Amino acid sequence: MALTVVSQIFPREMIPAVLPLIEDKLQHSKEIIRRKAVQALYKFYLIAPNQVQHIHDKFRKALCDRDVGVMAASLHIYLQMIKKNASGYKDLTESFVTILKQVVGGKLPIDFNYHSVPAPWLQIQLLRILGLLGKDDPRTSELMYDVLDESLRRAEINHNITYAILFECVQTIYTICPKSDLLEKAAKCIGKFVLSPKINLKYLGLKALTYVIQQDPNLALQHQMTIIECLDHPDPIIKRETLELLYRITNGQNVTVIVQKMLDYLRQSKEEYTIINLTGKIAELAEKYAPDNEWFIQTMNAVFSVGGDVMHPDIPNNFLRLLAEGFDDEKEDKQLRLYAVQSYLSLLEEEDAFYPQKFLQVMSWVLGEYCYLINDGDPEVIITRLHRLLKQTFVTSETKAWIMTAITKISSRMSCSKTVDKLIQEFSTSLDTCMRQYAFELKHLCEKKELMKKLLPLDASCDEIMVDASLSFLDGFVAEGLSSGAAPYKPHHQRQEEKLSQEKALNFEPYGLSFTSSVSSSGFTGRQSPAGLSLGSDMSGNSAEIGQKETDCLKLDGVRKLWGKEGYLPKKENKTGKEDKTQPVPDSILMGHVVDPPLMQSEQQVVSLSEEEKEKQQLASTLFVGLGSNSTISLMGRADTITQKLKKKSKISETHNSEEASSFQNTATLPFSPLPNTAPNNEENFQGNEHLGLRKISLSSSEVLEASVSFDTSQSLTEAGLDEKLSNCRLSTSSLFADSSIEVFQLPQNVPDIVASKASFSLCLPEELAGHPHSEIIELCSRDILTVYSCKVWTDDCSLLVLFVANKSTSPLKTVNLVFESTEHFKIFESLSSHFPVIEAQSMESCQKCVQLEKVCTEGILPGSISYHLETDTHLEFSLTFSLSDFIRPMKITTEDFGRLWLSFLNDVKQNLKMPPSQGSLSIALNVLKQKLKLHIVEIIGNEGIAACQLLPSTPCLLHCRTHARTLALWFRSSCSALPDGLLYQCQKAMEES
């Protein structure tokens, strides 16, 4: 019961207090206790993943537990971890495959069966894990082919749960590197789903078809008539999924038909989510595959009219940006803008027509910018129609501002206008402050026409405006003020600190975080000071908001105002709200062509079945055109082979375009936030040759280093050798699960002695690097004639990777290329590759690479490969593991500097750690952290101490620690949000290793 409660109600801050207790329960003799402990850890992982990183090895032991329930509970944790970092768990692929084989083969106890299907939810979980592990990895995918084939073959019982297993199998098969036999079987399963008369199975088939259509476009051709029938299905969910499928197969040849089908469904739908989703997709297809300017403008008009004010704001913004930037052809630009102006003028002719606010804003901007393109048009007529809009009650204040801006632009191209004079007189006394301001601005600009023309030039919407962000034009004013005795500017946080130090305000901080009487002796006054901070043993968790408590106030954003000086407000809002009800949109404005009237009931009965079939065949030919094997197809999310019609011109800078570009497809989020302030500042140290420090090393006496690794499953694994040892570990000879009928499940037994032979080469670092701290020289990869060694060198300003390439053959190696792959976590300066034209026989070459951490992570892998030519081309792959401590350096500061920095950082994390008996004092514990993490100990006072470090090149992190009853309370603060969590994990690891 306690474990169940812990996993449901404990917040993030209380996790460190109970985490050691739950870890102990993983070794409990009762299966239900171990299962509940794993479930509690899974909940903790979802809340604060960084706080349970140090017990990942215990998750692996739970995966190998004899009880099926414990093993099944651990799969939830692995599914989440593999989603974030699949490469770190590739070594467990065979384990998951073996488990799935035993589950599919019915080796589990009968209690886990559901309608005669063995552990279906366990199968679904394992299939999802295998799909993540096998994505873009042919070697890993090969391990799964047999078990996926077996899963498809056994899931033949006509029951909903088997359909769910088949669906997951299909998704997994099309996610991993495919095999032709499996693809054929998966296609047959999809066909059974699509052709099923049951709505649920038909929806499942359409869902699967939508997912796999990117890998196999021809699969849609096999079911094109079924898809056509689904367009007229009475179930709206079937219709919506069919439109999603058509969206995936859209190309330049079928775009008009598919967009028309989407618009027809959009007019009938009243769901806000459907409107937002479909308008975004229609706008994207129209911009990407528009056959001509007229169709594009009319389609976007329909989107603006039907989508109304609920559509995504990026849609009108992108449309206006497209009009402003134009195409590669100036003639096309003019035609598109001219047609847009003519279209909007014709829409504004109707006096009683209602248009959404965003559509009116688009009209106003286009008419204000490009109405001059109409040669025979009268600007007075355009201003009159815009003025008429200002009087409409449904037009909001924001839209009126757009209209006033458009009128101002048009007025700059006219000598005088009676309508403008009338408008100025009318709105100069308006109760709306913004409208009154616009009227006065327009009045003064009309009095100075030359200034007005300079301020509002023709077609200047894409002109770059230079902005002086540093406000350098005020330097003279600031210097004059300082010389006159004015006080220098102080940042907001500094003013706040001074105010708090002068005032005697109440302390609302928890007692566990209050100051002791030693504050004055530490040299700090005012706010929290880590040198005088008293942390009780109950301090735990992560509180990133502590540094912001002084500015907390009552937040009323989004709270509806119900009472005012005049009484209860909603009564008055109801009166005015009746006038703002939306009116139906006339269908004539949605698409610029006449739609055939619907057939009368008597006429529909006359139509024969053969004619209906002919219509469906004709519709299929227009929808699925371009999907043949010999024709081009452009799938959403894949590379396009058809030239985009509306290709934008790069009038605006590339950076500006990338910031405003929008996407209507879902993307995955990165697991680590970017590290701020990590611009390289030592790049000049690595300029010059392609492989810096390239040199040959002559032969010398043989030096052989032998090492063997033995593994004991009864001992807990350390993080440093976790992957290497677990890949070679072996389970006990007893069966995996409690049931005696289950086969024994074992991990691969490949435990040879690891012999890192330096052959007959003398490996040593260059003289300029030998004096720096460095790791041992280890072997990365080896063949009969070539071996690659590596060594990490930790200089003060960077982390160097020194690589040695040894030619052990009697012939020279030519065209040796060493290449690193680009990753999201690491950056290599100057070049990712090094080229050695020739490596002589029985000799060695070396190169150096400067590695920098781009995104904070506790541990990451830097993959690479080396290729060479002897008689044939040979390719070898290798990988290097870097931890966060490789990029941490001590930051030498004073206690006063520490206090100032501490108050300016808002990102923090806290946790209590148990101190081993060997670390009886704070100084010993800090020295351990100093050696392991390269910290600089600033000061130690009694049982409290402060230390500082920095993440290269210049991201600081501060540590305050305190000991109490064999407990070490750690408190990290930094300007980088992810750095405190990462350093806390490194501290936990260092304390465990010590």
Side-chain angles (χ1 to χ4, degrees):
M1 181 63 72
L3 288 172
T4 304
V5 172
V6 162
S7 63
Q8 297 298 325
I9 68 173
F10 268 40
R12 178 190 184 102
E13 291 76 13
M14 296 184 66
I15 291 177
V18 298
L19 192 57
L21 301 176
I22 297 179
E23 289 183 45
D24 295 339
K25 297 299 181 289
L26 293 174
Q27 310 297 331
H28 202 276
S29 58
K30 292 185 177 181
E31 292 83 1
I32 187 172
I33 301 297
R34 298 200 301 271
R35 184 170 72 250
K36 290 290 185 180
V38 173
Q39 292 173 350
L41 291 176
Y42 170 63
K43 185 69 174 181
F44 289 167
Y45 180 84
L46 296 179
I47 298 174
N50 291 325
Q51 296 189 17
V52 295
Q53 283 185 348
H54 63 288
I55 56 175
H56 282 190
D57 57 328
K58 297 182 180 180
F59 294 157
R60 299 199 176 204
K61 289 185 178 180
L63 181 66
C64 304
D65 197 279
R66 292 173 55 85
D67 183 70
V68 183
V70 179
M71 180 273 298
S74 67
L75 292 181
H76 295 283
I77 302 178
Y78 274 105
L79 180 60
Q80 296 299 325
M81 294 191 297
I82 292 173
K83 282 181 180 179
K84 292 185 176 181
N85 180 24
S87 60
Y89 302 93
K90 297 280 187 181
D91 58 318
L92 292 178
T93 303
E94 292 186 6
S95 303
F96 292 122
V97 169
T98 305
I99 295 174
L100 183 58
K101 283 182 179 179
Q102 297 195 24
V103 173
V104 173
K107 303 294 185 178
L108 269 63
I110 197 172
D111 296 338
F112 289 87
N113 289 3
Y114 177 78
H115 288 271
S116 303
V117 180
W121 289 278
L122 195 58
Q123 291 190 49
I124 292 173
Q125 199 88 324
L126 288 166
L127 288 170
R128 291 175 180 175
I129 291 175
L130 293 179
L132 295 171
L133 291 174
K135 186 176 182 180
D136 301 327
D137 190 345
R139 293 182 180 178
T140 306
S141 299
E142 289 178 1
L143 303 174
M144 311 174 187
Y145 291 155
D146 293 338
V147 70
L148 290 176
D149 191 5
E150 184 71 12
S151 299
L152 284 175
R153 187 179 64 82
R154 288 182 177 268
E156 294 178 351
I157 304 175
N158 292 328
H159 193 274
N160 286 338
I161 195 63
T162 59
Y163 299 144
I165 296 175
L166 287 175
F167 178 78
E168 292 295 337
C169 282
V170 170
Q171 277 198 318
T172 303
I173 290 171
Y174 277 94
T175 301
I176 66 176
C177 294
K179 182 183 178 183
S180 58
D181 296 341
L182 286 176
L183 291 178
E184 292 180 2
K185 295 180 180 179
K188 291 180 180 179
C189 290
I190 295 175
K192 291 180 180 178
F193 287 153
V194 173
L195 298 174
S196 174
K198 298 180 180 180
I199 295 180
N200 291 337
L201 295 185
K202 189 179 292 291
Y203 171 79
L204 211 59
L206 292 173
K207 195 81 174 175
L209 197 59
T210 304
Y211 181 79
V212 306
I213 199 67
Q214 296 183 5
Q215 284 82 11
D216 189 5
N218 292 323
L219 194 59
L221 295 175
Q222 302 174 15
H223 308 286
Q224 52 182 328
M225 296 309 300
T226 305
I227 297 174
I228 295 299
E229 293 175 356
C230 290
L231 283 174
D232 299 326
H233 201 281
D235 193 309
I237 304 299
I238 298 294
K239 277 187 177 181
R240 191 166 63 191
E241 193 59 38
T242 306
L243 291 176
E244 179 69 24
L245 173 61
L246 295 178
Y247 165 75
R248 298 287 178 180
I249 64 173
T250 305
N251 53 52
Q253 301 176 23
N254 60 8
V255 62
T256 55
V257 181
I258 291 179
V259 167
Q260 183 60 46
K261 290 293 180 182
M262 289 183 173
L263 286 173
D264 293 342
Y265 181 79
L266 194 59
R267 295 189 188 101
Q268 301 172 3
S269 177
K270 297 181 181 180
E271 297 180 2
E272 183 174 335
Y273 168 78
T274 304
I275 295 175
I276 295 174
N277 188 30
L278 277 183
T279 52
K281 291 178 179 178
I282 294 173
E284 183 180 357
L285 295 177
E287 181 178 340
K288 199 168 187 178
Y289 302 112
D292 52 63
N293 295 334
E294 181 179 353
W295 183 88
F296 175 69
I297 295 296
Q298 294 296 341
T299 301
M300 293 308 298
N301 289 350
V303 170
F304 295 142
S305 300
V306 179
D309 296 324
V310 300
M311 64 180 172
H312 199 280
D314 285 343
I315 297 177
N317 292 342
N318 289 343
F319 175 72
L320 296 180
R321 181 166 53 86
L322 180 64
L323 286 179
E325 294 176 10
F327 316 135
D328 292 334
D329 188 357
E330 292 293 337
K331 185 177 180 181
E332 286 285 330
D333 293 352
K334 186 176 180 180
Q335 291 179 355
L336 178 65
R337 295 164 182 167
L338 179 60
Y339 188 83
V341 172
Q342 293 173 345
S343 173
Y344 297 149
L345 284 177
S346 62
L347 293 178
L348 291 179
E349 287 181 357
E350 303 179 19
E351 296 185 3
D352 298 331
F354 172 84
Y355 304 107
Q357 302 300 313
K358 290 183 180 179
F359 195 13
L360 291 176
Q361 294 168 11
V362 170
M363 291 183 188
S364 303
W365 189 89
V366 173
L367 293 176
E369 287 288 335
Y370 304 115
C371 69
Y372 67 90
L373 295 175
I374 303 179
N375 296 327
D376 55 347
D378 186 4
E380 187 73 22
V381 176
I382 300 175
I383 293 178
T384 302
R385 294 178 184 177
L386 293 176
H387 179 229
R388 187 173 60 203
L389 279 179
L390 291 174
K391 298 180 180 180
Q392 299 292 333
T393 57
F394 64 85
V395 179
T396 62
S397 299
E398 181 185 2
T399 305
K400 288 180 179 179
W402 284 70
I403 298 173
M404 287 293 292
T405 304
I407 293 175
T408 305
K409 292 178 181 179
I410 299 173
S411 302
S412 64
R413 304 161 199 149
M414 301 170 58
S415 57
C416 60
S417 172
K418 295 181 180 179
T419 307
V420 172
D421 296 337
K422 180 181 178 181
L423 184 147
I424 293 173
Q425 184 179 3
E426 180 180 345
F427 288 99
S428 296
T429 58
S430 174
L431 297 178
D432 191 334
T433 307
C434 294
M435 294 302 297
R436 192 163 64 249
Q437 178 183 345
Y438 276 112
F440 278 111
E441 290 176 355
L442 179 58
K443 177 182 178 182
H444 289 290
L445 287 175
C446 288
E447 294 174 354
K448 300 178 181 179
K449 285 292 183 179
E450 294 299 327
L451 176 62
M452 193 176 189
K453 291 180 180 179
K454 291 181 180 180
L455 291 175
L456 303 170
L458 287 177
D459 195 13
S461 58
C462 286
D463 292 350
E464 295 185 4
I465 301 176
M466 302 302 295
V467 178
D468 186 2
S470 63
L471 304 180
S472 59
F473 56 88
L474 294 176
D475 290 345
F477 174 77
V478 173
E480 182 180 353
L482 292 176
S483 61
S484 302
Y489 172 75
K490 295 180 181 179
H492 174 70
H493 67 86
Q494 186 177 352
R495 298 196 303 270
Q496 188 180 29
E497 294 165 12
E498 293 178 356
K499 181 179 179 181
L500 290 173
S501 63
Q502 295 173 3
E503 297 179 358
K504 294 183 179 179
L506 293 175
N507 182 16
F508 291 100
E509 298 293 338
Y511 289 116
L513 303 178
S514 61
F515 288 92
T516 63
S517 58
S518 61
V519 173
S520 58
S521 63
S522 64
F524 295 101
T525 59
R527 288 184 58 192
Q528 300 173 6
S529 173
L533 197 62
S534 176
L535 299 175
S537 61
D538 58 343
M539 183 198 71
S540 61
N542 184 355
S543 57
E545 300 82 17
I546 289 180
Q548 299 175 345
K549 288 187 177 179
E550 292 81 4
T551 60
D552 285 349
C553 60
L554 188 61
K555 297 181 179 180
L556 297 177
D557 296 339
V559 179
R560 186 179 179 187
K561 188 175 181 181
L562 297 177
W563 292 92
K565 294 182 179 181
E566 300 177 2
Y568 191 61
L569 299 180
K571 292 182 178 179
K572 297 187 176 184
E573 293 177 0
N574 292 335
K575 294 179 181 179
T576 59
K578 294 179 180 179
E579 300 175 0
D580 297 335
K581 292 183 179 179
T582 57
Q583 301 176 9
V585 183
D587 292 340
S588 59
I589 69 169
L590 299 184
M591 299 294 293
H593 53 82
V594 179
V595 182
D596 294 334
L599 296 175
M600 299 299 292
Q601 184 175 1
S602 58
E603 296 175 346
Q604 293 176 355
Q605 296 175 353
V606 180
V607 179
S608 63
L609 183 62
S610 60
E611 292 181 355
E612 291 182 359
E613 292 296 330
K614 291 180 180 178
E615 290 179 1
K616 290 182 179 180
Q617 292 286 350
Q618 184 177 1
L619 180 58
S621 64
T622 56
L623 283 177
F624 299 97
V625 63
L627 295 185
S629 58
N630 298 327
S631 59
T632 58
I633 176 172
S634 181
L635 298 175
M636 308 308 299
R638 301 186 64 183
D640 299 325
T641 56
I642 299 178
T643 305
Q644 185 173 338
K645 173 64 180 176
L646 302 180
K647 186 177 181 181
K648 303 171 188 173
K649 190 194 302 181
S650 58
K651 288 185 178 180
I652 305 179
S653 62
E654 186 175 356
T655 304
H656 182 67
N657 284 338
S658 64
E659 291 176 353
E660 292 187 356
S662 63
S663 173
F664 299 98
Q665 297 178 357
N666 294 329
T667 59
T669 60
L670 296 178
F672 301 99
S673 60
L675 179 64
N677 303 327
T678 55
N681 58 357
N682 52 2
E683 190 171 353
E684 62 273 7
N685 297 331
F686 300 93
Q687 302 294 331
N689 295 333
E690 186 177 8
H691 44 282
L692 185 64
L694 187 65
R695 64 190 184 93
K696 294 186 178 181
I697 303 178
S698 60
L699 300 177
S700 63
S701 59
S702 62
E703 179 183 356
V704 180
L705 173 65
E706 296 184 356
S708 61
V709 178
S710 61
F711 181 70
D712 185 3
T713 55
S714 63
Q715 299 176 355
S716 62
L717 303 176
T718 60
E719 188 71 15
L722 184 62
D723 293 336
E724 179 182 354
K725 295 181 180 180
L726 273 175
S727 62
N728 299 320
C729 71
R730 179 183 179 90
L731 298 181
S732 60
T733 55
S734 57
S735 61
L736 175 63
F737 307 117
D739 194 292
S740 59
S741 63
I742 304 177
E743 296 178 1
V744 177
F745 152 53
Q746 297 177 346
L747 293 175
Q749 186 181 8
N750 299 323
V751 196
D753 290 342
I754 301 176
V755 180
S757 175
K758 305 292 190 298
S760 58
F761 301 100
S762 177
L763 296 176
C764 59
L765 292 173
E767 295 180 359
E768 65 272 13
L769 299 179
H772 293 282
H774 59 82
S775 66
E776 294 183 358
I777 300 178
I778 62 173
E779 179 182 309
L780 284 182
C781 59
S782 179
R783 275 286 172 89
D784 296 337
I785 60 175
L786 182 139
T787 304
V788 181
Y789 304 96
S790 70
C791 179
K792 300 176 186 176
V793 181
W794 301 295
T795 63
D796 294 337
D797 55 354
C798 68
S799 291
L800 278 177
L801 179 62
V802 183
L803 299 167
F804 304 94
V805 183
N807 179 9
K808 298 184 291 186
S809 69
T810 57
S811 302
L813 296 179
K814 298 181 180 179
T815 317
V816 180
N817 293 313
L818 193 148
V819 182
F820 286 96
E821 298 180 12
S822 59
T823 63
E824 61 177 349
H825 295 140
F826 303 107
K827 176 182 179 181
I828 297 180
F829 286 120
E830 188 178 351
S831 175
L832 291 174
S833 61
S834 294
H835 176 67
F836 306 95
V838 178
I839 300 181
E840 299 297 337
Q842 296 291 313
S843 65
M844 181 181 293
E845 299 284 353
S846 68
C847 64
Q848 301 174 13
K849 296 292 182 182
C850 177
V851 184
Q852 181 175 299
L853 189 66
E854 282 287 283
K855 289 186 178 181
V856 176
C857 61
T858 56
E859 193 172 83
I861 296 177
L862 180 62
S865 62
I866 186 169
S867 60
Y868 60 90
H869 180 80
L870 186 59
E871 296 179 353
T872 59
D873 292 334
T874 307
H875 184 83
L876 293 177
E877 294 183 351
F878 59 84
S879 61
L880 285 148
T881 301
F882 285 89
S883 65
L884 180 61
S885 58
D886 291 327
F887 306 94
I888 297 297
R889 298 294 182 270
M891 185 174 68
K892 297 182 179 181
I893 57 175
T894 63
T895 305
E896 289 76 15
D897 295 335
F898 186 98
R900 284 192 292 269
L901 285 174
W902 184 271
L903 295 172
S904 63
F905 295 157
L906 299 180
N907 303 294
D908 68 346
V909 64
K910 311 170 193 175
Q911 186 153 337
N912 295 343
L913 300 180
K914 289 184 179 180
M915 297 176 61
S918 59
Q919 300 176 3
S921 64
L922 176 63
S923 59
I924 297 177
L926 274 179
N927 284 327
V928 171
L929 297 181
K930 177 182 178 181
Q931 295 174 2
K932 298 286 187 179
L933 302 183
K934 307 179 185 69
L935 300 178
H936 168 66
I937 301 176
V938 180
E939 187 176 1
I940 297 177
I941 303 176
N943 64 339
E944 299 189 17
I946 54 177
C949 65
Q950 63 177 341
L951 175 66
L952 294 177
S954 60
T955 304
C957 186
L958 307 179
L959 167 65
H960 173 265
C961 54
R962 179 180 182 271
T963 57
H964 176 73
R966 290 200 175 275
T967 300
L968 179 63
L970 300 178
W971 188 357
F972 285 95
R973 272 197 176 188
S974 175
S975 58
C976 173
S977 59
L979 186 54
D981 283 325
L983 282 175
L984 178 60
Y985 168 70
Q986 296 293 333
C987 285
Q988 294 171 338
K989 181 179 174 183
M991 297 295 288
E992 289 179 358
E993 292 177 353
S994 62

